[in-house]
Amino acid sequence: MRPKVLAICIFVSFLTGCNYTNLLPQMQTNAPETVANQVIQEPLARGRALRVGQRDNLKGDKRKQTARRKASALGKTGSKAADPIDYENIWDRMRAGYKLDFTLNPRIQTHLNWYSRHQLYLNRVAKRARRYLYYIVTELEAQGLPLELALLPVVESAFDPFAYSHGRASGIWQIIPETGVRFDLKQNWWYDGRRDIKASTRAALEYLSYLNDYFQGDWLLALAAYNTGEGNVQKAILKNQRNGKPTDFWSLKLPMETRAYVPQLLALATIVRNPAAYNLALRDIPNRPYFLIVNVDYQIDLAQAAEMAGINIEELYLLNPGYNRWATDPKSSRNLLLPVNKAAVFAGKLSSLPRKQRVGWEHYKVKTGDSLLIIAQHFNTSVSSLKKTNDLTDDAIEVGQMLLIPVATQPAKHYAYSADQRMRRSKSRLRTTQQHRGATRINYRVKAGDTFWEIAQQHGVKARDIARWNGMAPRDSLREGQTLVVWSRMSPELFDLDSEGEEEDGTPIIRKVVAYQVRQGDSLAGIAGKFNLSINDIMRWNTINNIHPGQSLTLFVDVTQVN
């Protein structure tokens, strides 16, 4: 590691005329980039880099007068643009950077009416946004983009960094895998750049800028294309041209979601401009950085990183949602975003921590039947990580061979927002909700040729619901033998429940359809006890209130729970 000195370069570009880009060659925009091990930086405001602890003291008439002389551009409102640092609240800074030109119409009014009745929703969104909004606004300003775009994550994800849609979109900007690849967002077992706040913001703004150029400066068309794709918007434009109709956003026949998408953003921008006009109040978000960026240079256990920084693991994941597992990506994306007041402490501790102590290690002796994939799954790591750690050039291993395996320092449940824990919580909530609605859980074993649509038709549900219940998207491929969880309210005799799977705790499920003939002396309680079922389930499955001898009942029995 480098010496324990935290080097933070301090330059005031347009105040002094000094060109700091020559000294920090990786800084192509105002975005923070780490340029050496343990250099901490933060989002910059209009070419200004501020030392930790100093930015709150940068006040004074001379600074303000100089900044205002330099920032003399006129916005759409006709008012002179102030220096970004002059604003106490991020909302004021955003209003000053509004550029979209639109007038209210009924489609916008519909969303204004909804927001005006949902103050608590806006409060929740603002609470999430406080971590990210300063950074996003700074990036937009650096590229000269409308600051209304900072509200797009509200429409996309309500600023939930772990939001995942049925269309496979992920992160606060809801980027689909293909778009992620198009804009160089890495996606692997350890890491998903679509959720990384810094990387995804860069990609989203690049995409929005491209779309704005594509549609010749029409931001409403660009926003529509961000939602549905430029091809769909272009088709709608060409159709209107052929029919002699206008080709502005409001005149196009677009998917229903897209027709609502743009008005929703414009409604939010309208509310931020003047919340009092709609009897709303915006929760204050200070106009100062929430996080700094620290280069950790080597894979590190996230639980250990949180402890070193003096924050809880949940906060670390919320600032670094791109990490899928218990540690940073061993190959790349080794930056950590940390709260401003915690970064220096963390970096100081990190500088004295040897690399080999940044993750836990376990020695493992290869047994008969082992493969790198089996071992990786057992230890919650990846094959590539095993190969790199043990200098393996291929997947071949031998019985008796000793492997060094990176392992988490804490139990799996400690890593609150890892992919595994998010899926576990999602399944638990789903079970509670569906049972409350009277649905039956089915563990469906995928057969050759099955599709989501066919399985959904069999069980009286929607294909996208099955995908959502299993953490997938409707367009994802299915493999023969795969087990899917299906929650159905259909009469159970209409479908085949013979299937296998696991409960969330790993307990195996082998569920069978049993045709039971009621005998003399049987009771519902007795039958329920014999097959470890509930009386209510038996009555619901068979649409009965009582039983009689000779009657045939259909039961859905987990045979692992029955003698």
Side-chain angles (χ1 to χ4, degrees):
M1 293 298 296
R2 300 292 177 93
K4 301 180 184 178
V5 178
L6 303 178
I8 304 177
C9 300
I10 310 166
F11 306 97
V12 184
S13 63
F14 63 72
L15 293 181
T16 65
C18 172
N19 185 351
Y20 65 86
T21 56
N22 293 328
L23 296 170
L24 297 182
Q26 295 186 18
M27 287 180 137
Q28 301 302 318
T29 69
N30 286 359
E33 298 288 350
T34 51
V35 297
N37 294 341
Q38 288 196 236
V39 171
I40 304 176
Q41 295 175 5
E42 63 180 89
L44 309 178
R46 297 260 179 119
R48 186 180 277 109
L50 306 176
R51 180 184 284 115
V52 176
Q54 189 182 30
R55 64 194 152 279
D56 292 334
N57 298 322
L58 286 181
K59 294 183 178 180
D61 292 339
K62 183 176 180 179
R63 177 184 63 78
K64 290 182 179 180
Q65 291 167 5
T66 305
R68 288 179 181 129
R69 279 200 309 272
K70 296 290 183 180
S72 60
L74 295 178
K76 289 284 184 181
T77 60
S79 60
K80 185 176 291 186
D83 189 284
I85 298 177
D86 291 343
Y87 298 107
E88 295 295 325
N89 198 295
I90 199 69
W91 304 116
D92 294 329
R93 181 177 168 189
M94 286 174 58
R95 293 178 192 114
Y98 271 18
K99 294 182 180 180
L100 299 185
D101 188 12
F102 65 93
T103 56
L104 295 182
N105 71 23
R107 284 159 66 182
I108 298 175
Q109 190 63 49
T110 298
H111 295 284
L112 286 172
N113 294 341
W114 189 90
Y115 285 122
S116 67
R117 299 193 301 269
H118 291 84
Q119 176 72 65
L120 292 179
Y121 172 78
L122 293 176
N123 291 348
R124 289 196 300 272
V125 169
K127 184 177 180 181
R128 293 184 190 135
R130 66 189 171 89
R131 292 183 178 89
Y132 320 119
L133 201 51
Y134 177 92
Y135 178 81
I136 293 170
V137 168
T138 302
E139 289 295 286
L140 287 166
E141 283 181 335
Q143 299 183 37
L145 300 177
L147 295 196
E148 292 99 327
L149 300 183
L151 298 169
L152 200 57
V154 180
V155 181
E156 289 286 353
S157 64
F159 269 107
D160 179 359
F162 297 105
Y164 184 81
S165 78
H166 63 269
R168 300 184 298 162
S170 188
I172 62 172
W173 295 99
Q174 288 291 279
I175 298 173
I176 62 174
E178 295 82 358
T179 302
V181 171
R182 179 177 171 185
F183 289 94
D184 300 321
L185 293 178
K186 295 183 178 179
Q187 302 164 64
N188 58 42
W189 191 82
W190 290 100
Y191 168 82
D192 190 339
R194 298 176 303 149
R195 291 199 308 272
D196 184 301
I197 300 303
K198 179 170 168 284
S200 68
T201 298
R202 185 266 307 162
L205 300 196
E206 284 184 12
Y207 189 27
L208 286 164
S209 296
Y210 159 79
L211 292 170
N212 185 50
D213 290 341
Y214 185 91
F215 291 105
Q216 301 178 341
D218 190 320
W219 272 112
L220 300 194
L221 293 179
L223 288 165
Y226 187 90
N227 176 255
T228 192
E230 59 263 43
N232 289 334
V233 176
Q234 188 61 36
K235 288 178 185 177
I237 290 173
L238 293 174
K239 183 177 180 180
N240 274 25
Q241 287 176 340
R242 289 193 299 268
N243 295 326
K245 296 181 179 180
T247 57
D248 62 289
F249 167 77
W250 305 104
S251 303
L252 298 181
K253 187 175 182 180
L254 295 166
M256 186 175 297
E257 178 184 323
T258 308
R259 286 172 57 82
Y261 179 87
V262 176
Q264 189 176 351
L265 175 71
L266 299 180
L268 283 165
T270 303
I271 287 170
V272 170
R273 185 189 297 277
N274 187 7
Y278 301 93
N279 295 317
L280 294 168
L282 299 177
R283 176 175 287 188
D284 282 350
I285 299 179
N287 181 37
R288 59 175 181 265
Y290 187 93
F291 59 78
L292 301 179
I293 302 170
V294 182
N295 188 324
V296 296
D297 189 49
Y298 191 76
Q299 187 177 34
I300 187 169
D301 185 302
L302 294 176
Q304 187 177 23
E307 183 178 356
M308 291 166 61
I311 61 177
N312 59 49
I313 191 72
E314 289 83 359
E315 177 70 3
L316 188 68
Y317 271 115
L318 289 169
L319 285 173
N320 301 274
Y323 293 121
N324 289 328
R325 308 295 168 181
W326 52 270
T328 58
D329 184 353
K331 287 188 175 181
S332 59
S333 303
R334 293 170 183 162
N335 290 337
L336 278 180
L337 274 54
L338 294 169
V340 167
N341 62 342
K342 302 293 184 180
V345 172
F346 171 83
K349 293 179 180 179
L350 183 69
S351 65
S352 60
L353 184 67
R355 286 183 172 184
K356 289 298 182 182
Q357 294 181 24
R358 296 184 186 182
V359 293
W361 299 95
E362 185 164 325
H363 293 275
Y364 179 78
K365 188 175 183 179
V366 177
K367 301 190 294 287
T368 301
D370 274 344
S371 68
L372 285 181
L373 179 59
I374 291 172
I375 296 170
Q377 290 174 340
H378 178 75
F379 287 100
N380 194 26
T381 188
S382 64
V383 171
S384 61
S385 182
L386 289 180
K387 292 171 71 173
K388 180 180 179 181
T389 302
N390 294 276
D391 295 323
L392 301 176
T393 57
D394 55 37
D395 292 345
I397 53 176
E398 298 177 356
V399 174
Q401 182 178 353
M402 295 301 300
L403 297 178
L404 187 62
I405 301 174
V407 294
T409 59
Q410 298 293 328
K413 65 181 179 180
H414 182 77
Y415 300 88
Y417 288 99
S418 69
D420 294 338
Q421 293 305 307
R422 294 198 310 272
M423 178 61 72
R424 191 177 295 271
R425 283 198 303 275
S426 177
K427 286 183 177 179
S428 178
R429 289 194 298 267
L430 177 63
R431 171 182 291 186
T432 301
T433 301
Q434 295 297 331
Q435 287 178 341
H436 179 73
R437 293 175 178 174
T440 300
R441 171 176 166 160
I442 303 152
N443 293 281
Y444 180 84
R445 178 67 63 87
V446 176
K447 304 179 182 66
D450 272 345
T451 65
F452 277 117
W453 185 85
E454 290 169 338
I455 298 170
Q457 291 298 303
Q458 293 174 34
H459 299 89
V461 295
K462 296 179 180 178
R464 70 178 184 180
D465 285 339
I466 297 180
R468 177 172 56 85
W469 295 332
N470 292 275
M472 303 173 69
R475 288 181 292 172
D476 288 350
S477 58
L478 298 174
R479 65 180 186 276
E480 186 177 359
Q482 180 180 359
T483 299
L484 298 176
V485 173
V486 180
W487 291 92
S488 178
R489 299 177 67 180
M490 287 178 62
S491 298
E493 62 269 17
L494 298 180
F495 49 76
D496 179 13
L497 245 179
D498 285 4
S499 56
E500 300 180 9
E502 287 186 351
E503 292 285 2
E504 279 80 356
D505 61 2
T507 304
I509 296 173
I510 305 175
R511 208 179 296 273
K512 298 292 182 182
V513 180
V514 174
Y516 180 82
Q517 188 170 29
V518 179
R519 304 180 182 124
Q520 191 72 35
D522 274 344
S523 65
L524 283 170
I527 297 171
K530 181 182 296 186
F531 292 100
N532 197 25
L533 302 170
S534 75
I535 294 175
N536 287 338
D537 280 344
I538 296 175
M539 294 170 64
R540 179 167 53 85
W541 291 336
N542 294 275
T543 319
I544 58 171
N545 294 316
N546 49 55
I547 57 174
H548 56 80
Q551 184 178 2
S552 181
L553 299 178
T554 300
L555 308 177
F556 299 87
V557 179
D558 179 356
V559 298
T560 63
Q561 302 296 319
V562 180
N563 292 326

